[in-house]
Amino acid sequence: MNKKGVIIGVVAIAIIAGVAASLSATPAETVNLDMTRTHGTISTAMGSPILGDPNAPITIVEFGDYQCHQCYNWFHNTKPTITRDYIDTGKANLVFVDMAFLGRDSSPAAQATYCAEDQGMYWEYHDMLYNAQESKIDGGWANNERLKAFAFSMGLDMELFESCLDSGKYSKRVQYNTQQARDHNVRGTPGFFIVGPDGQQQIGGAQPFSVFKQVLDPMV
């Protein structure tokens, strides 16, 4: 190989190394995500996996905090009927977008769900948090130790989960989602946007099923 060829080869190797380094420095939360995913005016690219049929005509975007008591109430009192009547029937799907603002444990709890998603268990971990929620914000039920205990009880690979959680791998993802809530004037949790073929409608608070039905049925 002549001198010119050697130089070109060295430059090519340097470029490849630079690209690899930039990818490794890119926040891990952007990897394998559809950054164009939006529902209505909301970017859900950093939110949860879609619950239900991705091609359903209606999307329910839920902004929530795992320490939010009203989110707990909606999860237990309203979501089951919405799941039965709209999500399981293919009329609607749901995306959860973090609004982690209530306390110091809110962001790590949200990050933990994405660490579980790395192992294909996002919704199982999501449900675990809302079933385990205790009344006091930052009372210890969602601290680092408990978040890892939840993962252990679900049979997750603990080396992978702990490495993910301890590194803050998904901290920027949660920050992005929380900013989406603020950008859309969500003042508290839970907050919802019902996005249909002809637009979107906002619902605030843990409203009963009847309120959602009034919005959803005309969109179906």
Side-chain angles (χ1 to χ4, degrees), residues 55-59 90-93 195-197 219-220:
N55 297 316
I58 301 170
T59 293
K91 296 177 181 178
N93 56 45
V195 183
M219 293 184 177
V220 175

Side-chain angles (χ1 to χ4, degrees), residues 33-163:
L33 291 172
D34 179 4
M35 291 306 296
T36 65
R37 193 181 82 177
T38 60
H39 291 96
T41 62
I42 305 162
S43 171
T44 59
M46 295 285 194
S48 73
I50 294 173
L51 180 65
D53 182 356
N55 297 316
I58 301 170
T59 293
I60 302 167
V61 180
E62 176 189 358
F63 287 99
D65 184 311
Y66 290 104
Q67 297 199 92
C68 162
H69 305 322
Q70 289 303 314
C71 298
Y72 173 96
N73 291 336
W74 188 84
F75 175 86
H76 287 279
N77 299 328
T78 304
K79 186 180 178 182
T81 312
I82 288 178
T83 300
R84 183 194 69 195
D85 290 0
Y86 294 95
I87 296 174
D88 288 348
T89 58
K91 296 177 181 178
N93 56 45
L94 184 144
V95 177
F96 185 88
V97 181
D98 313 287
M99 186 177 178
F101 74 113
L102 287 174
R104 65 177 179 272
D105 291 339
S106 294
S107 179
Q111 293 174 50
T113 65
Y114 298 119
C115 293
E117 183 186 7
D118 285 347
Q119 301 185 46
M121 297 284 279
Y122 174 90
W123 285 109
E124 291 83 356
Y125 199 95
H126 172 99
D127 293 354
M128 173 78 78
L129 291 179
Y130 276 131
N131 282 313
Q133 188 193 100
E134 296 177 7
S135 59
K136 187 176 180 181
I137 294 173
D138 290 341
W141 74 270
N143 64 21
N144 189 272
E145 182 180 346
R146 290 291 299 278
L147 294 173
K148 291 176 181 177
F150 295 146
F152 179 81
S153 71
M154 293 169 59
L156 296 182
D157 181 319
M158 292 307 298
E159 183 176 353
L160 290 177
F161 184 88
E162 290 180 1
S163 174

Side-chain angles (χ1 to χ4, degrees), residues 176-194:
Y176 179 91
N177 289 338
T178 302
Q179 188 60 48
Q180 281 294 299
R182 297 189 177 115
D183 289 347
H184 286 81
N185 297 313
V186 178
R187 302 302 183 190
T189 51
F192 302 89
F193 285 86
I194 313 300

